[in-house]
Amino acid sequence: MTFVDELDRAMAAAGHPRFTRLSGFVLRALEHDALSLRELADRLEMTSPGALKIVDAMVEAGYLERRPSPGDRR
């Protein structure tokens, strides 16, 4: 059984049905580093819009939070 399988099963058992396999990959990618959306997308080998959809859902579900990047003035 993989980390993602175990995490998926544990989260569902704890009443978090919106947690997906992709959520597990995101959490693994962010395990040690805060990443920009572009960096996360690169690490997951997907497009930024695809990563944004996953991140938005995880933020809404309370699994992630967004923080402003100190170097980004937007």
Side-chain angles (χ1 to χ4, degrees):
M1 180 167 305
T2 68
F3 167 83
V4 175
D5 291 332
E6 289 179 34
L7 184 59
D8 193 34
R9 190 171 53 207
M11 294 302 285
H16 302 287
R18 291 180 53 186
F19 196 84
T20 67
R21 289 185 180 274
L22 287 174
S23 301
F25 288 119
V26 169
L27 291 181
R28 292 249 1 227
L30 296 171
E31 182 177 7
H32 299 293
D33 304 308
L35 301 173
S36 70
L37 183 64
R38 174 75 259 155
E39 291 168 330
L40 178 62
D42 288 347
R43 197 169 283 186
L44 296 173
E45 298 180 358
M46 62 188 320
T47 65
S48 289
L52 179 60
K53 287 181 183 180
I54 298 164
V55 168
D56 282 345
M58 290 181 74
V59 167
E60 185 179 321
Y63 293 120
L64 295 178
E65 68 179 16
R66 286 194 176 89
R67 294 186 183 162
S69 174
D72 190 348
R73 298 184 152 241
R74 286 181 277 167

